Amino acid sequence: MKKQYLGIIITVWNCPEMLLRRNLSSILIQQFDQNKYGIRIYIVIDDNKNYDNVISPFAQDLPIQIIQNELNIGESETRNIGMRAAFKDECDFITIIDQDDSLYDCSSLANLMSHFFFGDIIAGKILFESTPTKSQILSNDNLWDHGCAYRSNVLLKHNIHFPKNHHNNDIAFNLWCNAFTNKKIYLDNIIYSYRYYKDSLNHINNDEFKSNNMRQLMENFQEVYENMQKDPQFQREILKPYVIEWFLKYYYKLSACYIPQEEAYDLWRSLPIFFNTFKTILLEE
C-alpha cells in the first residue's frame, strides 16, 4: 500500500513567536501510523521578519520547508504558493493551519488520515476559543477551511486555488471545492483549535474594514464562480445547497440575530452583489 502524504501549509505574516511556536508544537506531538502516512510542512513567510529561532528547533524533528516571499503578496497567493509546493512534492492531501491557530490534540492528524481513502474532503470539528476563558465546539459549516483536509488531485484537476483577495478567501475556496465533489466526510472529532487573536489582520474592528471585508468576499465569490462555469464538469445542482446555506447562515441568520444593528448595514449592502452572482441558482426551482 502506497504511503500517503499530507501537506501542511502555514502562512506567516507579522506572527508573534508565541503563536508560531504553539502552532508547530501541535504538529510535533501528533501520533499517527508513520508506515502508512507522512507529513510535509510548508511555512510560507510573507514578511521580512526572521523566524529562524522559532522554526529551527522544530525543523530537527519535522520535515519543514521554508518559502520566503520576495515581496508581501497577501494571504491568498501565499496559501497558493504553499499548495503548489505540496503538489510538486506529490502530497496526496493538503490542510492549512493558520499562524494564530493549532491542531486540537495529538490525534488530530490521525483522525483525518484514517479517512483519506474514503473522501475528497475530510472535515473535523473546531474548538473556537473566543477569549482565553470562553470556548465552544463548532461543527464544520462547509464554508471554512479550518479542520479540513483536501485531496490534491481534485484541486489540481479543477485548478482550485484561493481567490485573489485576502479577506474571506477560505469561504470562496470551500465553495469552489464543494462544487466539484460530493465525497465529503464529516468527523465527530475535534481537529482544530481556532483562536480569536485580537491583533490578527482578520480581526480589525472598524467600519471601513468591515465594509472592505464584505466587498472582497463578494469579489472572491464572483471570481470562483466564473472559474466554476468554465469547467466542463461543473454541476449547479451540487453547488446549490452550499450557496443556499451561505445565504441563510451569513445573511439571514447572522444579520437578524447576531450582528448589531449599526453593523448590519455593511453586510446587507452587499446582498445585491451576492444575489446577482448566484441569481440563477437561488431562483431556480
Side-chain angles (χ1 to χ4, degrees):
M1 186 178 295
K2 177 181 175 290
K3 190 171 184 177
Q4 290 197 304
Y5 281 86
L6 174 68
I8 301 173
I9 298 162
I10 304 168
T11 59
V12 175
W13 179 87
N14 194 29
C15 184
E17 291 186 359
M18 173 194 70
L19 299 181
L20 183 56
R21 190 172 289 112
R22 182 172 58 191
N23 183 314
L24 292 171
S25 295
S26 75
I27 302 173
L28 182 63
I29 65 170
Q30 293 302 302
Q31 299 175 6
F32 55 86
D33 188 343
Q34 298 189 28
N35 294 317
K36 290 184 178 180
Y37 309 110
I39 61 172
R40 295 177 175 133
I41 302 167
Y42 304 89
I43 301 178
V44 192
I45 300 174
D46 197 37
D47 62 24
N48 293 320
K49 289 177 64 176
N50 189 320
Y51 298 94
D52 287 350
N53 63 319
V54 177
I55 298 172
S56 293
F58 291 98
Q60 297 177 25
D61 299 298
L62 292 172
I64 294 175
Q65 180 182 149
I66 299 174
I67 303 170
Q68 176 71 58
N69 292 341
E70 293 183 7
L71 299 171
N72 174 256
I73 57 176
E75 182 181 65
S76 290
E77 184 54 25
T78 299
R79 285 178 164 185
N80 290 331
I81 287 172
M83 285 205 303
R84 289 195 290 269
F87 297 156
K88 184 178 179 181
D89 290 340
E90 299 184 343
C91 291
D92 300 276
F93 280 76
I94 63 104
T95 191
I96 294 169
I97 308 176
D98 286 348
Q99 62 178 28
D100 304 352
D101 305 328
S102 64
L103 296 170
Y104 173 66
D105 63 18
C106 63
S107 63
S108 292
L109 293 188
N111 287 325
L112 287 176
M113 291 169 172
S114 64
H115 293 81
F116 276 179
F117 289 98
F118 309 106
D120 293 332
I121 304 175
I122 299 103
K125 291 185 176 179
I126 305 161
L127 180 69
F128 174 45
E129 300 178 52
S130 54
T131 71
T133 59
K134 185 179 179 181
S135 64
Q136 63 183 121
I137 298 173
L138 304 175
S139 295
N140 200 293
D141 68 355
N142 292 317
L143 300 174
W144 280 8
D145 61 357
H146 304 315
C148 291
Y150 306 88
R151 189 178 296 278
S152 295
N153 61 16
V154 172
L155 303 181
L156 285 166
K157 180 178 181 181
H158 301 287
N159 191 27
I160 297 172
H161 54 272
F162 287 91
K164 63 182 178 182
N165 284 323
H166 170 83
H167 299 294
N168 292 306
N169 59 69
D170 52 349
I171 294 177
F173 174 82
N174 272 291
L175 194 70
W176 198 349
C177 291
N178 287 320
F180 290 102
T181 182
N182 54 11
K183 294 181 179 178
K184 188 167 185 178
I185 297 173
Y186 298 90
L187 307 181
D188 287 331
N189 312 87
I190 304 172
I191 300 296
Y192 195 93
S193 290
Y194 172 69
R195 295 178 179 87
Y196 188 95
Y197 176 58
K198 65 181 179 61
D199 295 324
S200 168
L201 184 61
N202 288 323
H203 296 144
I204 299 172
N205 190 26
N206 61 57
D207 291 339
E208 180 181 359
F209 172 80
K210 290 171 183 173
S211 178
N212 185 54
N213 195 6
M214 293 308 301
R215 177 187 60 79
Q216 289 192 14
L217 173 59
M218 295 306 140
E219 290 178 356
N220 286 341
F221 275 145
Q222 183 69 40
E223 179 184 340
V224 301
Y225 191 49
E226 288 174 359
N227 281 305
M228 289 177 200
Q229 292 175 302
K230 296 173 186 176
D231 193 307
Q233 292 188 303
F234 174 57
Q235 300 179 55
R236 293 198 318 186
E237 59 269 23
I238 293 179
L239 182 64
K240 184 175 181 178
Y242 301 106
V243 172
I244 293 173
E245 177 181 348
W246 191 92
F247 182 85
L248 293 176
K249 184 173 293 184
Y250 287 86
Y251 276 103
Y252 175 73
K253 184 176 179 182
L254 284 179
S255 295
C257 304
Y258 300 118
I259 295 181
Q261 189 63 38
E262 62 271 17
E263 298 175 13
Y265 172 72
D266 284 334
L267 191 64
W268 279 101
R269 181 170 56 182
S270 56
L271 176 58
I273 305 173
F274 177 84
F275 183 79
N276 288 332
T277 299
F278 296 107
K279 186 189 310 185
T280 55
I281 292 178
L282 287 168
L283 293 182
E284 67 185 6
E285 294 295 331

